[in-house]
Amino acid sequence: MRYEELRERLARLKAARRAVILAHNYQAGPVQDIADFVGDSLELSRKAAAVEAETIVFCGVHFMAETAAILAPSKTVLLPDAGAGCPMADMITADELRRWKERHPGRKVVCYINTSAEVKAESDVCCTSANAVRVVESLPDEEVLFVPDKNLAAFVARNSRKKIIAWDGYCYVHHHIYPADVAAGRREHPEAEVWAHPECRPEVIDLADKALSTGQMIAEARRTARREVVVATEAGITYRLKKENPGKEFHPVKHTALCANMKKTTLPKVLAALEGGGTRITVPEDIRLRALGAIEQMIRI
Ligand code: 13P
Ligand code: SF4
């Protein structure tokens, strides 16, 4: 099918189903191009709740579509590829969290948004990489449990006065970015500033000029006077950074820093989802309400 034909078909199907297409910053370029909104995980879930549509085609990974379903229960949330999960979110189950809480009685649980609805339901408050420090600082407790990302937990611990007890999870994409990769990026692009995602190892963040979430990178790219930036995060984000800032250069610190699950979404699968395929993401109401409590607590902060 020709590209123009595909776009026309998508437009017809979207109108017929009163649908919108949301895409995460790490999605492949062609998927970002046909999306109605591109953003970070929380922005997209909030967009899903706010937008006037009956159907949301969520081009991202499972926990993001689930967060959209938690915030917008009356809408049909479709994931184009049922196998697009987040390996880090899968590193903790609700049962494991319940047992961990029993070993740390009285401790509050902060969960990263990269968790299942069941884990959010067992947590006190949710956070994103953009607000994790603020969320932890807002709690009156001196010591908190943090799941599942040990690197984000270390970032919070280094930027707050709290004691963080961290779950031993990590994002394989960010965890496999090493100090040597940053050093190589600086050698190749001596004029560039280096931005690292807080899911990176502390040693990598130490070598970066700024630690920024994906949403913060998009905003900083517009603001900065620097003409060249090396980003230590999933390489797909450079597509949007370059598209929105044609006068500036963005380089992934590692071209192999790719999230296989994010790349499972393709244009044919998006089309198939609108034609009646895709997987509908739903959350049982009792879990949804408890998970919503943790998300709303974050939004209040
Ligand atoms: P954001 O919350 O910044 O969109 O990132 C999600 C993610 O999966 C990072 O690896
Ligand atoms: Fe999960 Fe990492 Fe992929 Fe983000 S980049 S979806 S944290 S595996």
Side-chain angles (χ1 to χ4, degrees):
M1 193 188 307
R2 280 184 312 116
Y3 187 64
E4 292 72 32
E5 220 178 297
L6 177 104
R7 288 205 75 130
E8 276 166 30
R9 202 144 138 198
L10 280 174
R12 270 199 307 278
L13 285 164
K14 277 199 311 182
R17 291 198 66 173
R18 294 194 6 91
V20 293
I21 301 173
L22 306 183
H24 188 265
N25 291 325
Y26 294 161
Q27 287 289 301
V31 175
Q32 294 195 25
D33 285 343
I34 54 96
D36 298 292
F37 302 100
V38 182
D40 67 24
S41 46
L42 184 66
E43 276 167 6
L44 291 180
S45 302
R46 295 181 85 169
K47 193 52 132 183
V51 81
E52 267 195 42
E54 280 167 19
T55 301
I56 313 285
V57 179
F58 208 115
C59 305
V61 292
H62 190 273
F63 79 84
M64 298 179 184
E66 224 181 30
T67 310
I70 291 166
L71 290 169
S74 62
K75 292 175 186 156
T76 301
V77 180
L78 297 173
L79 196 59
D81 186 313
C86 167
M88 167 157 72
D90 294 340
M91 284 178 185
I92 185 162
T93 64
D95 265 349
E96 286 171 325
L97 178 52
R98 275 189 288 270
R99 285 199 294 273
W100 202 45
K101 287 191 327 188
E102 277 165 22
R103 293 212 301 277
H104 298 279
R107 297 285 173 271
K108 293 230 168 64
V109 178
V110 179
C111 71
Y112 190 20
I113 192 148
N114 295 40
T115 43
S116 66
E118 288 85 351
V119 166
K120 288 186 179 77
E122 286 295 328
S123 303
D124 295 283
V125 57
C126 191
C127 76
T128 71
S129 52
N131 62 25
V133 174
R134 221 170 335 135
V135 165
V136 168
E137 278 290 294
S138 76
L139 298 172
D141 318 63
E142 281 311 305
E143 210 174 277
V144 297
L145 303 180
F146 192 99
V147 297
D149 187 7
K150 62 178 173 186
N151 288 331
L152 182 59
F155 176 74
V156 174
R158 281 148 44 110
N159 288 283
S160 85
R161 290 165 287 111
K162 308 279 176 173
K163 175 160 186 244
I164 315 287
I165 306 171
W167 189 257
D168 190 20
Y170 58 88
C171 161
Y172 76 99
V173 179
H174 292 88
H175 201 59
H176 292 301
I177 296 175
Y178 298 98
D181 298 313
V182 178
R186 285 209 189 270
R187 266 197 314 277
E188 271 173 55
H189 308 286
E191 301 298 315
E193 199 166 61
V194 176
W195 301 346
H197 193 280
E199 284 176 20
C200 289
R201 297 162 175 271
E203 314 90 89
V204 165
I205 296 177
D206 280 346
L207 293 176
D209 299 300
K210 289 170 186 157
L212 302 169
S213 70
T214 67
Q216 288 169 336
M217 285 186 191
I218 298 295
E220 184 65 12
R222 292 185 193 130
R223 230 179 356 239
T224 184
R226 299 296 283 260
R227 311 308 296 171
E228 207 179 354
V229 182
V230 169
V231 289
T233 189
E234 213 270 359
I237 198 172
T238 56
Y239 181 80
R240 182 172 175 197
L241 291 170
K242 288 177 190 172
K243 188 172 165 181
E244 292 184 359
N245 305 278
K248 298 173 186 170
E249 283 181 51
F250 298 91
H251 314 281
V253 72
K254 204 171 182 169
H255 288 275
T256 52
L258 294 168
C259 175
N261 288 277
M262 282 283 179
K263 302 301 187 273
K264 283 183 178 164
T265 307
T266 59
L267 290 184
K269 289 181 198 169
V270 174
L271 194 62
L274 282 167
E275 282 170 337
T279 301
R280 183 168 183 188
I281 306 299
T282 55
V283 180
E285 191 59 8
D286 56 329
I287 292 173
R288 189 188 76 81
L289 289 174
R290 286 160 58 217
L292 183 64
I295 297 171
E296 282 181 340
Q297 180 61 17
M298 165 182 74
I299 291 171
R300 270 194 292 276
I301 294 162

